[in-house]
Amino acid sequence: MAVNWLPFIGCLSIAFGPSVTLFLCTAAKEAQAVILLITSAFFWLLSLLFSSLVWLTVYPLRKHLAFTLVFSVLFQEGLRILFVLLVKKTNVALSRISRETTDLFHGPRYSVIAGLGYGVMSAMFMYVNVLSEASGPGTYYTPGSPSMPIFVSGALQASVMTGLHVCWGLLCSDGVEKRSLPLLVSVTLSHLFVSCLTLLNEAGKSPIYAILISYLALVLIGVFTFRRFQGNIKPFFKIL
């Protein structure tokens, strides 16, 4: 029976190991940072609520996953922008009433924490139900990939989405700060593109294709984010 827990622990580490590491580096030591992360995760839950309301309201399109997916991405990015604006206003208010200055709500650090909250909540809803079956006897495979268990493919997808949300959080906050509409649109379109890759699974294709393209997107968006923040490794790692 103990052997059945090995894939569970392994998949759990793949899906949430990078998130836990980033959390320990950026937010674990400060209560304000933890609150910021939880608030960000709450905004993601709000986007899920609004997507569910659209799904319930438009009855004829309930069977079309692409329809719900598009609205889900739009709500996520819209609320992400709203969250950034809220944090900016909070920072201004705190600076007026507090004698001590803090950089928690200014610069890339809060953007990383906010993106992490978005990513972790997204990964949990995407993967926890699947992971709960990994400790039981046997395993499951998708029709398109009889060689890769669904637990492994789901863990890889959850992990890459967390990384992408961190990058999107950085780019979104930078776009709001500099009032760059093209950057905000690019974030939304890239999010929509990666999310639409899940439709390949519905079409019976191997999840390997979606995973590889998602990780390629993470590399490209990560490089763009790095270059956006002046491409200097020292200021970038000050985030951590």
Side-chain angles (χ1 to χ4, degrees):
M1 181 66 180
V3 178
N4 293 330
W5 286 94
L6 294 179
F8 175 85
I9 296 174
C11 292
L12 181 66
S13 300
I14 293 172
F16 299 105
S19 304
V20 172
T21 302
L22 190 56
F23 170 76
L24 293 176
C25 292
T26 58
K29 296 181 181 180
E30 296 187 36
Q32 289 176 314
V34 175
I35 294 173
L36 184 67
L37 185 143
I38 294 174
T39 307
S40 173
F42 174 74
F43 269 70
W44 188 91
L45 289 175
L46 286 179
S47 71
L48 181 65
L49 173 63
F50 293 148
S51 300
S52 301
L53 291 176
V54 172
W55 184 82
L56 290 172
T57 304
V58 188
Y59 181 80
L61 296 176
R62 288 186 183 181
K63 296 181 180 180
H64 300 280
L65 180 61
F67 170 79
T68 307
L69 188 147
V70 170
F71 275 93
S72 176
V73 171
L74 293 178
F75 282 130
Q76 286 182 51
E77 295 306 326
L79 285 170
R80 195 199 302 271
I81 295 173
L82 181 62
F83 177 77
V84 172
L85 293 173
L86 178 63
V87 170
K88 285 172 63 66
K89 289 186 177 296
T90 303
N91 188 49
V92 173
L94 288 177
S95 64
R96 291 176 179 174
I97 64 176
S98 178
R99 296 180 180 178
E100 298 180 358
T101 58
T102 175
D103 63 347
L104 176 61
F105 300 126
H106 184 267
R109 186 187 176 198
Y110 90 83
S111 305
V112 171
I113 297 172
L116 182 62
Y118 247 63
V120 169
M121 188 57 63
S122 173
M124 288 179 63
F125 268 81
M126 178 191 303
Y127 189 59
V128 166
N129 287 336
V130 177
L131 183 64
S132 64
E133 301 294 333
S135 61
T139 187
Y140 300 94
Y141 298 90
T142 59
S145 180
S147 60
M148 177 181 287
I150 191 173
F151 308 125
V152 176
S153 61
L156 292 171
Q157 195 68 33
S159 179
V160 72
M161 285 302 296
T162 303
L164 284 167
H165 273 293
V166 172
C167 293
W168 289 328
L170 279 162
L171 294 174
C172 180
S173 63
D174 190 46
V176 172
E177 184 75 23
K178 298 178 180 178
R179 298 183 179 181
S180 175
L181 182 60
L183 182 58
L184 296 176
V185 173
S186 299
V187 170
T188 303
L189 291 179
S190 60
H191 189 177
L192 183 61
F193 170 75
V194 174
S195 298
C196 285
L197 293 175
T198 57
L199 298 177
L200 295 175
N201 300 333
E202 187 183 26
K205 303 295 183 181
S206 173
I208 297 176
Y209 299 118
I211 292 171
L212 290 176
I213 298 174
S214 297
Y215 274 92
L216 178 61
L218 175 60
V219 172
L220 296 176
I221 296 173
V223 170
F224 176 77
T225 305
F226 182 80
R227 291 172 64 90
R228 185 80 182 182
F229 286 86
Q230 300 178 352
N232 191 341
I233 193 170
K234 292 182 180 179
F236 187 80
F237 277 97
K238 283 183 180 179
I239 298 171
L240 304 180

